[in-house]
C-alpha cells in the first residue's frame, strides 16, 4: 500500500496573497534585453507570441552557484531538480518534456553563449555552464522551441556577460554543510581593444548522502573585440569532474529508514563517474545597413568514464556490454544566419534565415566491472563501437507588425539527422551490430500577438515538433537480439498555447498561459534488466496545463515573485509495460489516461525579498505535488513544500565592495524526495532531498 499523496497548498496561498496586495504599487523596472531565444532583433519580447522568461544572474545572489538549478525555480513550466548526486546531471524538464531522462538532459535544447550543449541526437548536459560568469538565463517554452530542431520541448540558453569599462573584478567564497566549498574568481572589463569575462570556479563537497563526494573545476571565458564595423568573439570552456561518487537511488523502505544512505551495491562496486570537457567557439557578427549576419563555429572534446553496479551474472551473456562505460566524444558545428529589418506594406518587418550543421563522433567502449573477485574495476573489453550522429538544418523566421495592434511571428525548420554506428567488437556470440538510420522533419510554427493596451498583450501560437531517439536509446533492441534499435521512430508533437501578458511600468507583471502538446510515437522504456534499458514507441500522449508568473512590488524595497504550474501529462493510447524487476517482455497493461512518470501535477514558487539600503533579506517557498515514478503508477514520491531563507549585507569601501551573505535551505527540516529515477529496474526510484542545510559566503569586488 502506498500512502496517500501529499497535496501542494501553495497555489491557495498565492491566491490569498494576490487578493491582499493586488492594489499595491511602487516604482520599479526590470532591465531590458533583446531575447535571443526568439531570434528577433529590436523587438521587445513582451510583444512576441511566445512564452519567454529571463533570469538575471546578479552579484546579490546567495548560495554556492554550483548548478543551474539554483537559478531556475521561479520559472513556470520548468522543473530543475538537484539530485544530490554530481555523478548525474541536473534533472531538467520543460512542460513535461525530458522528465523521463534518467541521466543527462533530453527533450530540451540547451545552449551556452550560442554554442549547443545538446548534441545532434538530442542528448545534452548542463555541468559545464557557469553561474559565476553568467549574466542571464533565457527560457523559451511552447511551440516556437521547434525552430531549434531535434529535441526541442523547450530551449534554455545561458549567456555570459560582455566585459565593459568599469566592470568589477570579484572573488567569491562560499562554505556550507557537508564540507561543501565553492571558490570562484571573475575578471571582467576591457583591456585595450579586447573586452573580457573570465570566470574560474573550484567546487567540492562530501555530499549530503553517503558515497556522494564530488569535485569540479571549471573555466569559462568570453573574449571580444571590434573588427572594423563588425565584432569577433572567442568562447572558451573547460570542465574537469573526476571520480564523482554515485550513491544510486533508494527503494521506498530505504528512503524511509535512512535517506542519507547509499545503496549497498554503490559501495560494493564503487559506482562513480569522471567527466572532462574542453571546447572553443568563434563568433563573427556584424551589420550592413538593414542587414545583419552572424557566423558561429565551435569544436570540443568530452570524455566520460562511468562505473555501474551491474553484477557479473548478467554480464555472462555474450551480448552484454559490461559494467564500465567509456565515452570519448569529439564534436563540432557551424551556424550561419542572416537577418534583415525593413518594411512590408508600410509596416515593420524582421526576417531571419540560416543553416546549421553539427556532428558528434563518439568512441563508445564497454568493459566488465570486475576482475576475478575484485569489483568496481575495469575488466575485459565487451563493447567497442564508433558512433556518428550529424544534422543539417535550415530555418527561416519572420516577424511582421501587420497592423497597429496586431503582429505575426512565423517560421519553419527542416531537420535531417543521421545516425551511423560501426561495431569493432565482433565475436562468435556477438555479431556485427553496425547500422545506420536517418530521420527527417519539417516543423512549422506561427503565432499572433494583439495589443489590448500598451501594458497588456494577448497571444496565440501553434506548431509542430519532433524528437529522435538518442544514441543511448538506440543502443539495445527491445527483443534482446543483437544490433541497434533502428526500428525506433521519432516522436512527433503538435503544440498550441494561448496567453496573456500584463507588464506595468512600475514593475508589476502578470503572465498567464494555457498550453497543450499532443505527441505521437512517444518514446518510453520497454524493459530495464541486467543493467541496461531498452526503448520503444508507445503511441499517443498529451501534456496540457496552465502557467502563471506574477511579480508585485509591495513597497520601495519590498518585492514579491510567484510562479505556479499545473501540468496534466497522460497516456492517450494504452500499452504494455514491464510489471516487475527482471522483466524483459512487457506484460502489464497501462491504460489510456494514466499519468506519465516523472511529472508532478503542480509546482509552485514564491519569493519575498526586502532590500533596505545595504541589507538584503529573502524568504522562498518551493513546492511540488506528488510524482509518479513508473509507468504503472504503482509507486510515487509524495509532494512537499520547503522554506528557504537568505540574508546579506554589503559595505562600500575605498578599495572596493564587500558583501557577506548566508542561506538556509529547507529551514523547517522537512523530509522529502528531491528527485526520482523513472522506471528504475531495481525499484530504486527515490533520490531523497537534503535536510536543513546552511551556507555562509563572502564576496569581494574591486575595480
Amino acid at each position: 500500500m502506498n500512502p496517500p499523496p501529499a497535496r501542494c497548498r501553495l497555489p491557495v496561498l498565492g491566491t490569498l496573497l494576490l487578493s491582499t496586495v493586488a492594489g499595491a504599487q511602487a516604482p520599479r523596472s526590470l532591465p531590458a534585453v533583446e531575447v535571443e531565444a526568439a531570434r528577433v532583433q529590436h523587438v521587445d519580447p513582451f510583444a512576441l507570441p511566445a512564452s519567454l522568461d529571463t533570469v538575471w544572474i546578479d552579484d546579490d545572489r546567495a548560495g554556492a552557484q554550483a548548478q543551474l538549478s539554483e537559478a531556475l525555480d521561479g520559472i513556470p513550466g520548468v522543473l530543475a531538480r538537484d539530485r544530490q548526486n554530481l555523478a548525474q546531471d541536473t534533472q531538467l524538464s520543460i512542460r513535461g518534456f525530458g522528465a523521463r531522462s534518467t541521466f543527462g538532459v533530453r527533450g530540451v535544447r540547451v545552449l551556452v553563449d550560442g554554442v549547443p550543449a545538446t548534441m545532434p541526437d538530442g542528448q545534452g548536459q548542463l555541468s559545464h555552464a557557469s553561474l559565476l560568469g553568467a549574466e542571464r538565463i533565457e527560457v523559451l517554452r511552447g511551440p516556437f522551441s521547434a525552430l531549434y530542431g531535434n529535441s526541442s520541448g523547450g530551449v534554455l540558453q545561458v549567456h555570459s556577460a560582455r566585459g565593459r569599462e568599469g566592470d568589477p573584478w570579484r572573488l567569491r567564497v562560499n562554505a556550507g554543510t557537508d564540507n561543501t566549498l565553492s571558490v570562484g574568481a571573475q575578471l571582467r572589463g576591457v583591456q585595450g581593444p579586447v573586452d573580457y569575462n573570465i570566470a574560474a570556479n573550484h567546487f567540492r563537497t562530501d555530499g549530503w548522502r553517503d558515497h556522494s563526494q564530488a569535485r569540479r573545476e571549471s573555466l569559462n571565458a568570453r573574449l571580444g573585440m571590434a573588427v572594423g564595423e563588425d565584432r569577433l568573439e572567442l568562447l572558451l570552456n573547460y570542465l574537469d569532474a573526476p571520480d564523482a561518487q554515485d550513491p544510486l537511488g533508494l527503494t521506498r523502505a530505504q528512503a524511509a529508514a535512512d535517506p542519507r544512505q547509499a545503496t549497498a551495491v554503490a559501495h560494493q562496486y564503487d559506482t562513480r563517474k569522471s567527466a572532462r570537457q574542453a571546447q572553443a567557439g568563434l563568433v563573427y557578427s556584424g551589420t550592413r545597413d538593414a542587414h545583419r549576419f552572424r557566423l558561429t563555429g565551435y569544436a570540443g572534446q568530452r570524455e566520460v568514464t562511468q562505473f555501474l553496479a551491474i553484477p557479473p551474472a548478467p554480464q555472462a551473456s555474450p551480448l552484454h556490454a559490461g559494467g564500465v562505460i567509456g565515452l570519448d566524444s569529439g564534436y563540432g558545428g557551424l551556424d550561419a544566419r542572416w537577418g534583415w529589418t525593413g518594411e512590408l506594406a508600410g509596416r515593420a518587418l524582421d526576417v531571419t534565415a540560416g543553416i546549421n550543421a553539427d556532428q558528434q563522433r563518439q568512441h563508445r567502449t564497454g568493459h566488465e566491472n570486475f576482475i576475478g573477485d575484485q569489483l568496481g574495476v575495469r575488466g575485459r573489453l565487451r563493447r567497442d563501437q564508433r558512433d556518428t550522429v550529424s544534422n543539417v538544418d535550415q530555418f527561416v523566421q519572420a516577424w511582421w507588425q501587420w497592423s497597429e495592434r496586431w503582429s505575426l511571428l512565423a517560421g519553419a525548420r527542416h531537420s535531417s539527422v543521421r545516425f551511423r554506428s560501426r561495431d569493432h567488437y565482433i565475436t562468435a556470440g556477438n555479431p556485427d551490430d553496425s547500422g545506420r538510420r536517418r530521420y527527417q522533419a519539417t516543423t512549422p510554427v506561427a503565432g499572433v500577438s494583439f495589443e489590448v493596451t500598451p501594458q497588456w498583450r494577448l497571444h496565440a501560437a501553434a506548431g509542430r515538433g519532433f524528437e529522435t531517439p538518442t544514441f543511448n536509446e538506440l543502443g539495445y533492441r527491445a527483443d534482446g537480439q543483437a544490433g541497434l534499435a533502428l526500428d525506433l521512430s521519432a516522436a512527433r508533437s503538435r503544440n498550441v498555447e494561448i496567453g496573456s501578458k500584463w507588464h506595468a511600468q512600475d514593475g508589476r507583471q502578470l503572465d498567464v498561459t494555457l498550453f497543450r502538446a499532443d505527441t505521437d510515437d512517444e518514446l518510453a522504456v520497454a524493459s530495464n534488466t541486467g543493467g541496461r534499458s531498452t526503448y520503444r514507441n508507445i503511441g499517443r500522449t498529451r501534456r496540457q496545463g496552465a502557467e502563471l508568473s506574477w511579480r508585485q512590488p509591495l513597497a520601495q524595497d519590498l518585492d514579491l515573485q510567484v510562479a505556479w504550474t499545473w501540468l496534466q501529462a497522460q497516456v492517450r493510447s494504452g500499452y504494455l509495460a514491464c510489471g516487475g524487476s527482471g522483466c524483459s517482455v512487457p506484460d502489464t497493461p497501462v491504460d489510456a489516461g494514466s499519468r506519465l512518470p516523472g511529472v508532478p501535477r503542480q509546482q509552485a514558487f514564491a519569493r519575498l525579498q526586502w532590500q533596505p539600503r545595504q541589507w538584503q533579506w529573502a524568504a522562498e517557498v518551493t513546492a511540488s505535488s506528488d510524482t509518479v515514478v513508473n509507468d504503472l503508477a504503482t509507486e510515487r514520491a509524495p509532494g512537499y513544500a520547503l522554506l528557504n531563507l537568505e540574508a546579506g549585507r554589503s559595505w562600500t569601501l575605498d578599495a572596493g565592495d564587500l558583501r557577506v551573505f548566508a542561506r538556509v535551505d529547507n529551514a523547517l527540516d522537512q523530509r522529502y524526495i528531491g528527485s526520482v529515477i523513472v522506471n528504475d529496474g531495481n525499484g530504486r526510484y527515490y533520490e531523497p532531498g537534503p535536510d536543513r542545510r546552511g551556507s555562509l559566503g563572502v564576496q569581494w569586488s574591486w575595480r
Side-chain angles (χ1 to χ4, degrees):
M1 281 290 286
N2 292 324
R7 297 193 179 276
C8 171
R9 295 182 173 87
L10 191 58
V12 178
L13 174 61
T15 302
L16 292 176
L17 287 170
L18 267 168
S19 62
T20 303
V21 301
Q25 297 185 23
R28 176 68 62 92
S29 60
L30 296 174
V33 66
E34 291 180 355
V35 177
E36 295 182 23
R39 296 197 182 102
V40 181
Q41 299 290 318
H42 312 301
V43 178
D44 188 344
F46 174 63
L48 298 176
S51 296
L52 293 161
D53 278 278
T54 300
V55 179
W56 293 90
I57 312 300
D58 53 42
D59 294 347
D60 293 336
R61 283 188 171 266
Q65 293 198 356
Q67 299 195 74
L68 286 186
S69 57
E70 298 177 46
L72 297 175
D73 281 338
I75 302 179
V78 176
L79 180 65
R81 285 174 161 169
D82 179 356
R83 305 180 65 175
Q84 301 301 312
N85 178 0
L86 290 177
Q88 304 293 341
D89 216 332
T90 298
Q91 278 190 343
L92 177 67
S93 64
I94 297 180
R95 292 184 176 176
F97 287 95
R100 289 174 179 259
S101 179
T102 56
F103 52 89
V105 177
R106 66 180 297 270
V108 175
R109 205 78 181 169
V110 179
L111 300 98
V112 179
D113 285 328
V115 174
T118 301
M119 294 297 101
D121 66 343
Q123 187 76 40
Q125 47 88 29
L126 294 170
S127 55
H128 69 291
S130 170
L131 279 179
L132 183 65
E135 178 187 52
R136 67 189 191 276
I137 301 173
E138 296 171 359
V139 179
L140 171 65
R141 310 181 299 284
F144 279 96
S145 59
L147 290 180
Y148 283 77
N150 181 25
S151 188
S152 291
V155 181
L156 185 149
Q157 295 203 64
V158 182
H159 295 280
S160 300
R162 176 177 169 180
R164 293 178 173 84
E165 290 282 358
D167 277 346
W169 291 9
R170 60 174 172 155
L171 178 66
R172 181 186 177 96
V173 180
N174 183 269
T177 316
D178 302 318
N179 198 27
T180 299
L181 178 68
S182 179
V183 180
Q186 183 188 30
L187 307 180
R188 198 174 74 196
V190 176
Q191 183 65 44
V194 178
D195 58 81
Y196 58 89
N197 179 2
I198 303 171
N201 186 253
H202 164 80
F203 175 82
R204 73 158 191 259
T205 181
D206 288 344
W208 178 69
R209 292 182 59 195
D210 192 16
H211 195 72
S212 61
Q213 191 176 81
R215 174 172 65 87
R216 283 182 177 177
E217 321 282 352
S218 66
L219 174 69
N220 290 269
R222 177 179 178 177
L223 310 174
M225 63 180 297
V227 180
E229 298 179 355
D230 304 329
R231 178 171 172 80
L232 180 66
E233 287 189 330
L234 176 64
L235 309 171
L236 301 173
N237 169 268
Y238 177 76
L239 169 73
D240 185 22
D243 292 327
Q245 295 176 333
D246 188 347
L248 304 179
L250 300 177
T251 65
R252 175 179 288 275
Q254 290 171 330
D258 179 9
R260 300 191 67 164
Q261 69 175 303
T263 307
V265 293
H267 292 287
Q268 188 179 10
Y269 289 88
D270 189 17
T271 48
R272 61 199 187 275
K273 185 176 81 171
S274 296
R276 179 177 294 173
Q277 175 176 299
Q279 71 178 32
L282 202 61
V283 181
Y284 188 77
S285 59
T287 60
R288 298 289 188 274
D289 298 325
H291 300 269
R292 61 185 183 273
F293 64 90
R294 179 184 174 101
L295 304 174
T296 302
Y298 71 95
Q301 190 75 24
R302 183 175 176 87
E303 301 171 8
V304 175
T305 303
Q306 186 166 13
F307 287 76
L308 306 176
I310 301 176
Q315 298 179 59
S317 167
L319 298 180
H320 203 283
V324 181
I325 299 173
L327 303 172
D328 187 355
S329 305
Y331 58 89
L334 297 170
D335 181 280
R337 64 185 65 173
W338 160 87
W340 176 78
T341 302
E343 291 186 352
L344 175 64
R347 297 287 184 176
L349 175 68
D350 184 278
V351 178
T352 302
I355 182 171
N356 83 281
D358 306 280
Q359 185 178 77
Q360 179 188 35
R361 295 180 179 271
Q362 186 173 83
H363 184 201
R364 181 187 296 260
T365 58
H367 291 78
E368 294 174 345
N369 58 356
F370 62 92
I371 300 177
D373 295 332
Q374 186 179 8
L375 304 179
V377 295
R378 191 192 304 262
R380 292 187 304 162
L381 180 70
R382 298 298 301 274
R383 187 174 195 169
D384 184 4
Q385 67 187 54
R386 295 188 180 270
D387 300 331
T388 303
V389 57
S390 61
N391 72 277
V392 178
D393 290 14
Q394 307 85 36
F395 61 87
V396 62
Q397 176 186 284
W399 176 86
W400 185 30
Q401 182 78 46
W402 51 277
S403 77
E404 184 176 349
R405 291 188 171 186
W406 289 90
S407 62
L408 168 71
L409 180 63
R413 185 181 186 106
H414 177 76
S415 300
S416 177
V417 185
R418 297 175 182 267
F419 293 82
R420 185 179 65 186
S421 180
R422 292 181 176 177
D423 190 1
H424 297 280
Y425 181 79
I426 303 172
T427 67
N430 189 334
D432 189 350
D433 293 339
S434 300
R436 62 180 63 200
R437 179 70 193 268
R438 180 185 180 189
Y439 299 90
Q440 291 190 88
T442 299
T443 51
V445 61
V448 294
S449 177
F450 175 67
E451 180 186 297
V452 182
T453 71
Q455 297 178 338
W456 184 19
R457 296 269 184 165
L458 301 176
H459 76 268
R464 295 181 178 271
F466 90 116
E467 180 180 338
T468 71
T470 66
F471 247 125
N472 292 313
E473 292 159 340
L474 291 171
Y476 303 103
R477 287 172 48 168
D479 60 8
Q481 300 300 308
L484 301 177
L486 299 178
D487 60 332
L488 290 179
S489 300
R492 312 272 176 156
S493 60
R494 300 172 300 281
N495 303 278
V496 295
E497 77 172 34
I498 58 174
S500 168
K501 304 177 186 180
W502 180 73
H503 293 191
Q505 292 183 350
D506 58 14
R508 291 176 296 160
Q509 296 184 9
L510 179 62
D511 295 350
V512 180
T513 305
L514 304 178
F515 62 88
R516 173 179 287 180
D518 289 325
T519 302
D520 296 328
D521 289 328
E522 179 86 31
L523 288 160
V525 171
S527 66
N528 199 336
T529 183
R532 69 184 191 184
S533 299
T534 65
Y535 295 83
R536 60 179 174 154
N537 300 104
I538 62 171
R540 298 180 299 152
T541 60
R542 171 172 289 173
R543 297 166 175 87
Q544 62 182 357
E547 298 169 349
L548 178 146
S549 177
W550 174 45
R551 294 177 182 269
Q552 179 74 48
L554 303 179
Q556 180 67 31
D557 302 306
L558 187 64
D559 291 280
L560 175 68
Q561 176 189 359
V562 174
W564 172 72
T565 304
W566 176 77
L567 175 59
Q568 184 184 57
Q570 293 181 319
V571 174
R572 298 187 68 205
S573 300
Y575 65 98
L576 295 178
C578 278
S581 177
C583 163
S584 58
V585 179
D587 56 5
T588 306
V590 176
D591 296 331
S594 299
R595 289 175 60 179
L596 289 175
V599 184
R601 185 65 58 87
Q602 292 190 72
Q603 294 172 246
F605 171 86
R607 179 181 174 93
L608 186 65
Q609 181 167 292
W610 183 39
Q611 290 183 283
R613 298 184 180 180
Q614 291 83 21
W615 285 94
Q616 178 187 12
W617 306 88
E620 290 180 354
V621 176
T622 60
S624 172
S625 62
D626 68 296
T627 303
V628 170
V629 300
N630 59 359
D631 289 331
L632 299 175
T634 55
E635 292 198 39
R636 63 187 63 197
Y640 60 84
L642 306 177
L643 174 66
N644 308 317
L645 302 174
E646 287 183 13
R649 174 69 158 86
S650 300
W651 292 267
T652 300
L653 307 175
D654 291 340
D657 297 328
L658 177 67
R659 182 169 182 268
V660 177
F661 52 90
R663 181 176 170 94
V664 179
D665 290 291
N666 192 7
L668 300 182
D669 203 21
Q670 302 292 303
R671 272 200 173 191
Y672 70 104
I673 300 300
S675 56
V676 299
I677 304 173
V678 172
N679 286 321
D680 183 82
N682 297 293
R684 299 193 293 255
Y685 305 113
Y686 305 102
E687 295 180 308
D691 54 16
R692 186 186 296 117
R693 307 279 91 187
S695 65
L696 180 65
V698 60
Q699 180 175 280
W700 173 247
S701 303
W702 71 98
R703 290 177 174 81

